[in-house]
Amino acid sequence: MTRIALCQIPVDEEPAVNLRRAREAMERAAADGAELAIFPEATLTRYGKRITDLAEPLDGPFVTGLAEAARAHRMAVIAGVFEPGGQPDGPGGGRVHNTAVALGPSGEIAAAYRKIHLFDSFGARESELVAPGGTPAVVELAGLRIGLVTCYDVRFPELGRALVDRGAEVLAVIAAWGSGPMKEEHWATLVRARAIENTVWVAAVGQAPNPASRDGFGVGRSMLVDPMGVVRADLGPAPGVLTSVLDPQITIDTRNALPCLEHRRLGAGGS
């Protein structure tokens, strides 16, 4: 069994503020025996035009600071950052990558997943500032094979299935989910759906609302959902750090009772 900490923090525009909050959350998680701490999408800085100026390479001060805390607590970490995506006249067109970085307990970078599906919906245009990635990522942390999913990605079931086909036992969904009519309901439904259809655990961590910001990003509702779709933890809207146990035997039991991955019939329907 693995102890996972859902670290639902509010995110500021200033990376130094967010690094301090993340390190404080990791200290709380470590005190509760967590082996893995998961933070939201865009933990580096809030969404906005400044992300192109505040983006850092993965060896920059923000990820380095997280790595130092990971080493200090012997804890793996997943967090969302922005990294430079290319030269103004080259690939990426000066945009950044929206990256989920995974660090091992020695502070080493174990994986960097660059968000594939960009949020050009509900009037937003993430693609104006962010260049898409193209490669799904599964990483081994805390004895688990974890598929990395970022926010809008959760609306695309084919990504979750691709990660499971690559051996993912858990989907880590990090988000800065936007508020609005039905949006929180969509979040809760989609997170549970990805767990049920793939018979995997889903650890979904969103930003807590930031009262100092009016952009609407961050509804909280970080959740740990088991392979049967049961919500084992739900942080609600308030900032918090919640450590829960992920039991792989539940995955085995669920798949024995519900072997839907074995029952797939791709191309069914005939000609």
Side-chain angles (χ1 to χ4, degrees), residues 26-51:
M26 289 174 67
E27 185 172 358
R28 291 178 58 188
D32 202 21
E35 301 162 71
L36 169 64
I38 305 177
F39 287 90
E41 176 188 26
T43 300
L44 170 71
T45 181
R46 289 192 75 79
Y47 265 106
K49 293 184 178 180
R50 291 186 68 201
I51 65 173

Side-chain angles (χ1 to χ4, degrees), residues 234-247:
D234 186 333
L235 270 164
V241 176
L242 180 63
T243 301
S244 297
V245 174
L246 190 155
D247 184 354

Side-chain angles (χ1 to χ4, degrees), residues 163-232:
L163 294 169
V164 170
D165 284 345
R166 286 167 169 79
E169 305 165 283
V170 184
L171 301 181
V173 181
I174 63 172
W177 203 258
S179 60
M182 295 300 297
K183 291 295 298 301
E184 189 173 324
E185 186 70 18
H186 284 192
W187 165 256
T189 301
L190 289 162
V191 168
R192 293 186 65 215
R194 299 295 82 85
I196 294 167
E197 71 198 5
N198 293 299
T199 54
V200 292
W201 289 85
V202 176
V205 180
Q207 292 184 14
N210 185 341
S213 177
R214 297 182 181 179
D215 58 22
F217 289 115
V219 298
R221 294 299 306 278
S222 299
M223 292 185 286
L224 181 66
V225 181
D226 76 16
M228 282 294 283
V230 177
V231 178
R232 297 298 184 105

Side-chain angles (χ1 to χ4, degrees), residues 100-115:
V101 62
L103 305 174
S106 297
E108 75 282 6
I109 295 176
Y113 164 67
R114 296 172 179 96
K115 185 178 182 181

